[in-house]
Amino acid sequence: MSDVPEPTRRPEWAALVNHRADVLPQPDLRELFDADPSRAQRYVVHVGDLRIDYSKHLVNDETLALLRELAEATDVFGLRDAMFRGERINVTEDRAVLHTALRAPRDAVIEVDGENVVPAVHAVLDRMADFAGRVRSGEWTGHTGKRIRNVVNIGIGGSDLGPAMAYEALRAFTDRSLTFRFVSNVDGADLHEATRDLDPAETLFIVASKTFTTIETITNATSARTWLLKGLGGDEKAVARHFVALSTNAEKVTDFGIDTANMFEFWDWVGGRYSYDSAIGLSLMIAIGPDRFREMLDGFRIVDEHFVNAPAEANAPLLLGLLGVWYNNFLDAQSHAVLPYSHYLSKFTAYLQQLDMESNGKSVDRRGRPVVWQTGPVVWGTPGTNGQHAYYQLIHQGTKLIPADLIGFARPVAELSDELKAQHDLLMANLFAQGQALAFGKTAEEVRAEGVPEEQVPHRTFRGNHPTTTILATELTPSVLGQLIALYEHKVFVQGAVWDIDSFDQWGVELGKVLAKRVEPALTEGADVPGLDPSTAALVAAYRERRK
Ligand code: F6P
């Protein structure tokens, strides 16, 4: 393993460096389209319901071929196959990486340590479906016999962002008679705002935590239990009707006081940021119902199968991953914007931030050697058209190269009134206009031709050449959401494989956690904390002074 060459030492990497210098020294989208107008048709890939247009990228056929050669040299497909087989590709935690097993069909066989994990996946899905059905029908009641009307998911990171994002995305498919809230922040304000108008007798808490040791979640869950018991007269028995747990850690769930009969299990081969299609999705399943949840899993599976079977030239996650590598490693881009033209995808980019940045924010390779190449980009963005009136100025006329994904749907959700549906064309016109303006800009000649005074011409000129991928689907359905998420999961995978990093650990969040625990007594009790640096010690003192 140690003799694996660093990606930058491979001839395929050098070929891309040369290609950048000699063939595409200043790639220009106007020239690329002039040279080959057919790229508008050729640079499109389909997967499931997604039409993915990558024609507005600073690449030509040769760039794409060289990128695919890099993927082959770095054995992206070999690692992919190892992942799908259940090998322990998360090397630092010595774990299999099998979120793809969460959406495998009932009759699939996927083994971890010689045991087929698929029956257990479906057993949990069936239990979730049964429970979700009982909450939705009113059969599952609270301690006082009242029907559950409110569901509060308590979790953080992957135990929050996935279900919260998907709930927003699929709101149109949710049971509108139920209220859903998602609490993650250890700031007590989060739980306060989530519960202040709720009746404890009608409220179900779902405590979502893979490890069941995450301090934010356990603190919030403890406070939620206090709130519940206070509201219901203190009878401890109420906990069993109002608390369920989603976790891999039965022992800690029991320690917390939740009966394992009310626990929905998942496994250590599911990473937190890859987990919302596991038991972690219980709140979503209650919201949209088991059938819709299964449709979403089918959507994930469409892209899984495509990733495994599609040839390299037509493999959507491979292409998107490699385009990101091109900008990140050969054109010096530092960030990547994800700009969904859908209000329902308001949390989509925040979700992708964890997926991408926690996976690929690494600076040592899989063997622990420091990397001398750039790894994961900063991922950011908010839904269009809001961003257009905020930060798009910088994308259009700033000095940075920011590749972006524009995501849109041909149809608005069915339940909008006709008047609101009519706004959809305007929304999508903005998406298409942005893609065009970003790619082709407006030359000084075009500005002058409009009679703009000469001194203003530079200010009104748009350089263009800002690359975008446009992802278009017919409608934002559960299946399409699953397809989109799997597309990004595998894109992130491809990049991690090329960069030769472990995309499945997250040691980088540990230090802050440990230090927070160490610093807390200094805040609460004024305790002397050994090893506190002078700056932090002064901050703690200032804080204590002000909170008196
Ligand atoms: O932030 C680190 C992390 O481990 C994430 O990867 C994870 O999604 C989150 O904390 C929550 O962890 P848990 O589900 O164990 O509470």
Side-chain angles (χ1 to χ4, degrees), residues 156-159 208-212 214 217 272-273 354 358 506 509 513:
I156 197 163
S159 301
S209 176
K210 178 175 169 179
T211 55
F212 233 77
T214 305
T217 300
R273 53 196 173 273
Q354 187 198 14
E358 198 165 85
Q506 57 285 315
V509 293
K513 282 191 202 171

Side-chain angles (χ1 to χ4, degrees), residues 4-5 7 364-367 369 373 495-502:
V4 173
V364 294
D365 71 10
R366 287 158 63 80
R367 282 150 292 277
R369 302 175 297 193
W373 51 95
Q495 297 187 333
V498 171
W499 294 325
D500 195 20
I501 53 180
D502 187 336

Side-chain angles (χ1 to χ4, degrees), residues 461-543:
T461 299
F462 290 66
R463 183 167 42 94
N465 244 5
H466 301 289
T468 53
T469 301
T470 304
I471 304 178
L472 187 63
T474 306
E475 248 177 284
L476 180 50
T477 59
S479 170
V480 166
L481 182 69
Q483 293 170 36
L484 280 169
I485 298 301
L487 177 70
Y488 280 96
E489 283 178 350
H490 297 320
K491 173 201 158 173
V492 168
F493 172 90
V494 166
Q495 297 187 333
V498 171
W499 294 325
D500 195 20
I501 53 180
D502 187 336
S503 298
F504 302 101
D505 62 15
Q506 57 285 315
W507 299 107
V509 293
E510 289 305 315
L511 180 62
K513 282 191 202 171
V514 172
L515 288 183
K517 272 194 196 149
R518 205 184 294 161
V519 172
E520 198 193 358
L523 270 51
T524 46
E525 303 148 24
D528 237 0
V529 176
L532 217 56
D533 68 88
S535 165
T536 311
L539 284 167
V540 168
Y543 168 79

Side-chain angles (χ1 to χ4, degrees), residues 106 117-130 264-265 267 294:
R106 250 177 227 280
V117 298
V118 178
V121 166
H122 282 273
V124 173
L125 278 172
D126 291 344
R127 279 188 64 223
M128 288 166 65
D130 175 63
F264 298 86
E265 181 196 12
W267 307 272
R294 287 185 197 279

Side-chain angles (χ1 to χ4, degrees), residues 195-444:
T195 53
R196 56 179 289 282
D197 57 346
L198 303 185
D199 175 355
E202 298 181 339
T203 302
L204 174 73
F205 289 98
I206 298 182
V207 186
S209 176
K210 178 175 169 179
T211 55
F212 233 77
T213 57
T214 305
I215 189 116
E216 290 91 336
T217 300
I218 301 307
T219 306
N220 275 325
T222 306
S223 299
R225 188 173 52 189
T226 305
W227 175 87
L228 181 96
L229 292 179
K230 213 162 144 194
L232 295 183
D235 185 353
E236 285 280 343
K237 281 202 225 77
V239 172
R241 303 300 301 174
H242 292 268
F243 274 80
V244 299
L246 320 174
S247 188
T248 60
N249 192 341
E251 203 181 314
K252 291 280 176 200
V253 168
T254 311
D255 288 352
F256 181 83
I258 297 178
D259 190 337
T260 45
N262 292 341
M263 169 179 156
F264 298 86
E265 181 196 12
F266 61 114
W267 307 272
D268 73 355
W269 40 262
V270 182
R273 53 196 173 273
Y274 299 87
S275 68
Y276 97 79
D277 46 347
S278 71
I280 290 293
L282 182 65
S283 55
L284 177 69
M285 193 192 265
I286 296 172
I288 64 173
D291 292 345
R292 296 286 195 191
F293 194 88
R294 287 185 197 279
E295 281 171 34
M296 184 186 74
L297 296 182
D298 292 344
F300 274 93
R301 191 161 70 234
I302 289 169
V303 178
D304 291 346
E305 286 170 0
H306 165 92
F307 185 42
V308 171
N309 297 318
E313 317 78 65
N315 195 305
L318 183 78
L319 278 166
L320 296 189
L322 291 176
L323 287 167
V325 168
W326 173 238
Y327 296 114
N328 195 61
N329 298 95
F330 301 94
L331 291 172
D332 301 327
Q334 296 289 321
S335 76
H336 182 94
V338 180
L339 310 169
Y341 278 69
S342 164
H343 182 69
Y344 289 110
L345 290 183
S346 60
K347 295 191 172 163
F348 189 71
T349 310
Y351 171 81
L352 291 186
Q353 281 179 326
Q354 187 198 14
L355 176 65
D356 200 322
M357 294 166 77
E358 198 165 85
S359 295
N360 285 344
K362 308 287 163 64
S363 54
V364 294
D365 71 10
R366 287 158 63 80
R367 282 150 292 277
R369 302 175 297 193
V371 299
V372 291
W373 51 95
Q374 287 289 315
T375 60
V378 175
V379 175
W380 61 284
T382 50
T385 60
N386 305 13
Q388 289 174 208
H389 297 273
Y391 51 78
Y392 275 41
Q393 164 66 35
L394 185 146
I395 310 183
H396 281 290
Q397 288 191 314
T399 53
K400 300 192 164 44
L401 172 64
I402 302 173
D405 297 344
L406 305 171
I407 303 170
F409 303 92
R411 292 189 202 140
V413 307
E415 71 175 33
L416 298 193
S417 67
D418 287 346
E419 198 184 343
L420 294 178
K421 276 189 185 135
Q423 293 181 201
H424 195 71
D425 284 347
L426 178 58
L427 172 71
M428 291 302 288
N430 273 277
L431 182 158
F432 297 127
Q434 288 300 324
Q436 180 174 349
L438 287 165
F440 303 110
K442 196 172 181 184
T443 64

